[in-house]
Amino acid sequence: MMYNKYVKSFKVEITLKTILLTLAVIIGVQVAWMVKDVIFSLVIGFILMSAFNPTVTYLEKFRIPRALSALVIFAMLIGGISYLVAVILPPIIEETVLLVKNLPGQLQQAEWLQSPLIRSFELEERAREAAPAITNSLFGILSQAFSNVLFILTTLFFGYYLLIEEHAVRRFLLHIVPPPE
């Protein structure tokens, strides 16, 4: 075996501290991934707090308690969102019901569906086979809608809490990131 004097060998040592730090980072990333929705909700709550804080601070000058002014602002926000949902959702539901009710008659009247080529696809039979999958999809949609409503309520709660506890949030942030000198 020939030894090359220009190639230097080096030794890699992995200490217990390095292994534990690597495991801690891996576990930390895994935990953060598991609670990503909560973290995202907190970030949006923080954005809401930042958006509404000037108004609440302004109302505090008129001796209106911070919690009350925040409650009024969030009640107005929820009322506005509810109004938009109440205006937009009924026509969508009404049109969907009309479509489902009138679709079979419209399909029977469609001349191009009566051709032998289209009949060879056996669309009626395939539609009957797809009915259970459609039902499962509807349950999935309802489940996702419930999850979204819960996410919105959690986000509003975080925003309200961060807004009324402004000084605690400021102290916490100053503890983590000290101000520049």
Side-chain angles (χ1 to χ4, degrees):
M1 184 165 176
M2 216 168 147
Y3 176 74
N4 188 345
K5 64 180 180 178
Y6 298 110
V7 177
K8 293 186 177 186
S9 64
F10 60 92
K11 185 177 173 182
V12 177
E13 291 185 25
I14 300 176
T15 64
L16 180 62
K17 183 179 176 183
T18 305
I19 293 171
L20 291 177
L21 182 64
T22 304
L23 284 175
V25 167
I26 291 171
I27 291 171
V29 168
Q30 182 68 28
V31 168
W33 184 256
M34 289 169 52
V35 295
K36 69 182 182 294
D37 291 336
V38 174
I39 293 171
F40 186 60
S41 182
L42 269 170
V43 168
I44 294 175
F46 190 78
I47 291 170
L48 286 174
M49 184 269 303
S50 298
F52 295 143
N53 191 36
T55 307
V56 171
T57 304
Y58 178 76
L59 292 174
E60 268 186 317
K61 293 178 184 175
F62 297 106
R63 297 183 186 257
I64 298 174
R66 190 167 188 82
L68 180 63
S69 57
L71 186 65
V72 168
I73 289 172
F74 274 95
M76 289 172 39
L77 177 68
I78 292 170
I81 292 171
S82 299
Y83 175 76
L84 286 176
V85 168
V87 166
I88 293 172
L89 203 57
I92 292 173
I93 292 173
E94 183 179 324
E95 291 298 322
T96 304
V97 167
L98 279 174
L99 174 68
V100 169
K101 189 184 293 184
N102 294 333
L103 188 62
Q106 294 293 330
L107 290 177
Q108 286 179 351
Q109 291 177 0
E111 293 178 18
W112 61 273
L113 287 175
Q114 306 304 326
S115 72
L117 177 65
I118 299 297
R119 290 201 174 266
S120 69
F121 290 124
E122 301 171 343
L123 294 177
E124 288 180 32
E125 184 178 322
R126 290 177 191 239
R128 281 190 212 103
E129 291 172 359
I134 293 171
T135 305
N136 288 338
S137 296
L138 288 176
F139 283 125
I141 290 170
L142 290 176
S143 172
Q144 189 64 39
F146 177 74
S147 175
N148 290 342
V149 167
L150 190 62
F151 176 80
I152 290 169
L153 290 177
T154 304
T155 303
L156 291 175
F157 173 77
F158 284 150
Y160 178 75
Y161 179 77
L162 291 171
L163 192 58
I164 63 173
E165 295 293 334
E166 175 202 18
H167 302 296
V169 172
R170 183 171 288 144
R171 280 192 308 267
F172 176 72
L173 290 176
L174 286 176
H175 180 70
I176 291 176
V177 181
E181 293 180 18

